Amino acid sequence: MQFVATEHQHRRFNPLNGQWVLVCPHRTQRPWSGQQEKPQKNEVPEFDPSNPLCPGVTRPNGIETPAYESTYVFDNDFPALVEAVPIPPNGDDPLFQIAPARGNCRVMCFHPKSNLTLPTMSAAEIEVVIDEWIRQFNELSATYAWVQIFENKGASMGCSNPHPHCQIWSCSFLPTEPQLKQERLRAYYTTNERPLLADYVERELQRQERIVIENPDWLVVVPFWATWPFETMLISRNNNKRINDLTLEQRQNLARTIKELTTKYDNLFQCSFPYSMGWHGAPTGPEHAHASSAHWTLHAVYYPPLLRSATVRKFMVGFELLAMAQRDLTPEQAAQRLREVDGTRHYLEK
């Protein structure tokens, strides 16, 4: 019997974290009688007087959100990380290690209208979002080792407010996922004298198997080692190390790329497609200010949970939690579906 990737189970290696992913494409044929999500439609009013992220509405802490007309950033009213916190005592037992954690958490509204999302905003409006990301990054990266810009879209990804927004958490330490990438990327660069993701972009361009969007500045692929069904990675093709390295033209092209990708997502199952996404680049802050970042390549990752339809999602439970990550359809199959779906016209447009 000859191996066929779309039919036979196999494992794939993720060089960014050193872990393997189990691919079981034959499982897509099994019937589904489990939990089904409520389809996430764009059924949100333009303005909701009870939504604290809307302009002019008073938040639970008594502060009134100003009548903003573009983006709006404020310190999270219920932050996970704060700056003024006591330092824990040093422990002498290796089984009970503890370390300090300081930081800052901010909320950033993309737009004053609650009924918009990135795919239904214009490219020009998304560019304004990118510019604000960079302003926030410039400020926070001067102090903190890691600035995590991320968006949770949709209730199924834990988003508690439908208003278009993201969060920016800044840490005095390097979190687990960036730390793994830092180590893996540095080791690859030491051996090959080339950034891992720069080589990966070249390989993907040669193979043309997993590309979703391609332009001079950005490449969107379903990674060879993707875990989530329609996971994508948006990678800089210009050797950028951090988001504040981007030129005006690269930011404009990024806005168009984000709009196209998120439109494809929404059009795939004709719903407001949920995901968690975030940016990864070279570490920052005084500790990393003078360290080499040659091994890094700026990229964003999108982790969407939907698997078969707007109502059937992938659950990371059981074997995935206790043994290893597992996916059903292959990354190549997912890329083909995303590549073929329209990214220029949103399904809600008349």
Side-chain angles (χ1 to χ4, degrees):
M1 182 183 296
Q2 185 175 3
F3 172 77
V4 179
T6 56
E7 298 178 10
H8 302 132
Q9 65 218 36
H10 58 280
R11 293 180 298 151
R12 298 192 183 195
F13 183 70
N14 183 345
L16 295 177
N17 62 18
Q19 298 179 4
W20 290 84
V21 178
L22 179 62
V23 184
C24 305
H26 54 285
R27 279 169 56 87
T28 57
Q29 302 172 16
R30 67 184 177 127
W32 178 258
S33 58
Q35 177 177 316
Q36 297 199 27
E37 307 294 316
K38 180 181 178 181
Q40 300 190 57
K41 303 293 184 180
N42 292 70
E43 298 171 347
V44 178
E46 182 176 306
F47 175 79
D48 180 355
S50 66
N51 190 325
L53 298 187
C54 283
V57 176
T58 300
R59 305 203 297 272
N61 61 359
I63 297 176
E64 182 179 300
T65 300
Y68 63 97
E69 298 180 350
S70 181
T71 57
Y72 171 58
V73 182
F74 63 95
D75 286 336
N76 196 316
D77 297 334
F78 305 97
L81 291 166
V82 296
E83 183 61 36
V85 64
I87 298 176
N90 291 325
D92 55 3
D93 191 324
L95 297 182
F96 299 97
Q97 296 186 52
I98 190 170
R102 295 178 295 99
N104 175 278
C105 297
R106 294 179 180 179
V107 176
M108 175 180 156
C109 298
F110 293 156
H111 199 282
K113 295 181 179 179
S114 281
N115 61 340
L116 293 180
T117 58
L118 288 175
T120 58
M121 291 167 57
S122 69
E125 290 171 326
I126 297 174
E127 190 180 342
V128 172
V129 170
I130 295 168
D131 289 343
E132 187 59 45
W133 282 343
I134 292 172
R135 277 191 289 271
Q136 295 295 315
F137 186 88
N138 282 336
E139 175 191 344
L140 295 164
S141 63
T143 302
Y144 295 104
W146 188 257
V147 179
Q148 184 60 68
I149 299 168
F150 67 97
E151 178 194 6
N152 293 329
K153 178 172 179 264
S156 64
M157 295 308 287
C159 182
S160 60
N161 192 310
H163 193 91
H165 72 286
C166 72
Q167 298 187 55
I168 306 172
W169 289 21
S170 302
C171 311
S172 61
F173 53 93
L174 204 54
T176 304
E177 292 299 317
Q179 180 64 49
L180 282 172
K181 285 188 178 180
Q182 170 86 323
E183 294 168 0
R184 304 288 303 183
L185 293 175
R186 182 182 284 153
Y188 184 93
Y189 190 88
T190 299
T191 301
N192 300 279
E193 298 183 343
R194 287 266 303 168
L196 184 154
L197 285 176
D199 282 352
Y200 179 64
V201 165
E202 285 191 4
R203 305 283 211 288
E204 287 288 13
L205 290 171
Q206 291 168 2
R207 292 174 177 249
Q208 293 287 314
E209 292 176 321
R210 287 166 293 273
I211 294 175
V212 177
I213 299 170
E214 176 187 352
N215 61 54
D217 294 315
W218 302 95
L219 185 72
V220 179
V221 299
V222 176
F224 175 78
W225 51 81
T227 297
W228 292 93
F230 293 95
E231 175 182 333
T232 56
M233 181 180 292
L234 193 167
I235 313 171
S236 168
R237 298 180 63 182
N238 294 284
N239 200 36
N240 300 120
K241 306 303 180 183
R242 302 178 178 93
I243 197 168
N244 59 348
D245 292 338
L246 301 179
T247 66
L248 174 59
E249 184 176 359
Q250 290 164 3
R251 296 197 302 270
Q252 292 171 337
N253 223 353
L254 175 59
R256 290 188 286 268
T257 304
I258 289 175
K259 181 171 176 61
E260 182 178 356
L261 175 60
T262 54
T263 298
K264 282 177 174 288
Y265 272 150
D266 277 15
N267 286 347
L268 183 64
F269 296 135
Q270 295 203 343
C271 68
S272 185
F273 204 81
Y275 58 72
S276 283
M277 70 80 61
W279 285 98
H280 281 178
T284 56
E287 181 182 349
H288 302 281
H290 303 294
S292 173
S293 60
H295 50 291
W296 273 92
T297 301
L298 176 68
H299 61 284
V301 289
Y302 285 77
Y303 299 138
L306 296 185
L307 173 60
R308 301 186 183 201
S309 68
T311 62
V312 178
R313 61 165 294 168
K314 169 70 176 178
F315 288 93
M316 291 293 182
V317 297
F319 185 88
E320 289 92 340
L321 283 179
L322 299 169
M324 68 187 301
Q326 181 270 330
R327 64 176 291 120
D328 295 345
L329 78 167
T330 68
E332 294 76 30
Q333 291 170 322
Q336 181 177 355
R337 293 186 64 180
L338 286 172
R339 189 166 53 245
E340 291 176 351
V341 75
D342 186 14
T344 60
R345 185 180 180 86
H346 195 273
Y347 76 94
L348 290 176
E349 292 182 24
K350 304 301 182 182

